Amino acid sequence: MGLILYHFPPSGPSRGALLAAKAIGADVDVQIVNLFKKEQLKEDFVKINPQHTVPTLVDGDVSIWDSHAIGTYLATTYGKDETLYPKDPKQRALIDQRLYFDCGTLYPRIRAICFPVLFLGEDQIYDEHKAPLEEALGFLDVFLEGNEFVTGNKLTVADCSLVASTSSIAAIGWDLSPYSNVAAWVARCSLAIPGYAEFNQTGADEFGKLVRSKLAPGQL
């Protein structure tokens, strides 16, 4: 039995895991779990992942969820070389830090804006949520100063996660122009990651369109 990735295209974290798989060259069987239809609550899926989240990776008798854990697992287990997740402790620690920045800082601040709009009936984006996201994008811009990618001049699994998050907020119409390093990096990732348009941008656009459709005029 091969690798199975349970995936929902509008989800930034889910796209981050899929981008990592594509960058690594791992052959994954993508199975769609529609969160809007609550398919993640089906009994068969809950048996695989009791936290019922996507993405979820199944590799034989092992199930892994959280996109960052999936990316590093795939790179360690199936990577053709160490480029995307080197074994060197210092290099790996820097990649891990960027991954933790995504899951602990950037993505939660994106979610704080988009989740209430998608699921709680909000139609506005409040300043109290805008400022933290701008701060996180500013941090990312600093990480990229003088670098082509988020840990240096080579693509890693950290780029896959962070660009999936960043493209999600860009797709709702967030202005990235104040962060020139970020904007240029997104463009580089779109060329460096195989299948970027199909496996990331299409889902980001779907996500962005849905969020925009629920916002009051003039929110962005």
Side-chain angles (χ1 to χ4, degrees):
M1 187 175 181
L3 292 164
I4 300 173
L5 182 68
Y6 293 92
H7 172 58
F8 185 47
S11 163
S14 197
R15 283 183 276 109
L18 184 55
L19 287 180
K22 295 300 177 180
I24 292 159
D27 184 13
V28 294
D29 175 15
V30 176
Q31 299 289 325
I32 302 298
V33 178
N34 191 320
L35 303 186
F36 295 141
K37 295 181 179 179
K38 299 189 182 300
E39 292 177 353
Q40 75 275 20
L41 301 179
K42 290 184 176 180
E43 182 179 354
D44 288 349
F45 186 68
V46 173
K47 287 180 179 178
I48 295 169
N49 174 358
Q51 199 174 343
H52 50 77
T53 56
V54 294
T56 294
L57 180 76
V58 175
D59 185 8
D61 60 353
V62 175
S63 296
I64 302 168
W65 50 96
D66 184 277
S67 58
H68 311 88
I70 290 170
T72 56
Y73 172 80
L74 288 173
T76 301
T77 309
Y78 294 98
K80 297 177 177 64
D81 54 43
E82 296 181 18
T83 303
L84 290 162
Y85 195 50
K87 291 181 180 179
D88 176 82
K90 292 181 179 179
Q91 292 179 314
R92 181 165 286 197
L94 186 58
I95 294 169
D96 288 342
Q97 187 277 322
R98 301 297 194 253
L99 289 169
Y100 300 155
F101 171 76
D102 181 51
C103 68
T105 301
L106 180 61
Y107 184 71
R109 297 182 187 189
I110 294 171
R111 189 179 187 276
I113 288 170
C114 299
F115 184 87
V117 175
L118 289 173
F119 297 105
L120 302 180
E122 294 283 358
D123 65 356
Q124 299 184 47
I125 299 174
Y126 299 104
D127 289 344
E128 64 193 69
H129 292 147
K130 290 180 180 180
L133 177 57
E134 298 288 4
E135 180 186 53
L137 290 169
F139 291 147
L140 181 57
D141 204 62
V142 172
F143 299 161
L144 287 159
E145 184 67 36
N147 295 321
E148 293 187 7
F149 297 101
V150 295
T151 64
N153 293 320
K154 292 183 179 180
L155 182 81
T156 71
V157 291
D159 293 283
C160 297
S161 289
L162 282 161
V163 81
S165 296
T166 305
S167 61
S168 296
I169 200 67
I172 76 168
W174 207 271
D175 184 13
L176 296 183
S177 62
Y179 312 101
S180 58
N181 294 331
V182 173
W185 161 75
V186 170
R188 281 193 291 274
C189 287
S190 73
L191 299 174
I193 302 173
Y196 180 93
E198 178 182 358
F199 300 115
N200 183 64
Q201 195 59 52
T202 299
D205 289 343
E206 183 181 351
F207 174 81
K209 181 179 179 180
L210 185 59
V211 174
R212 291 195 309 273
S213 73
K214 295 177 179 292
L215 285 172
Q219 287 299 298
L220 291 166

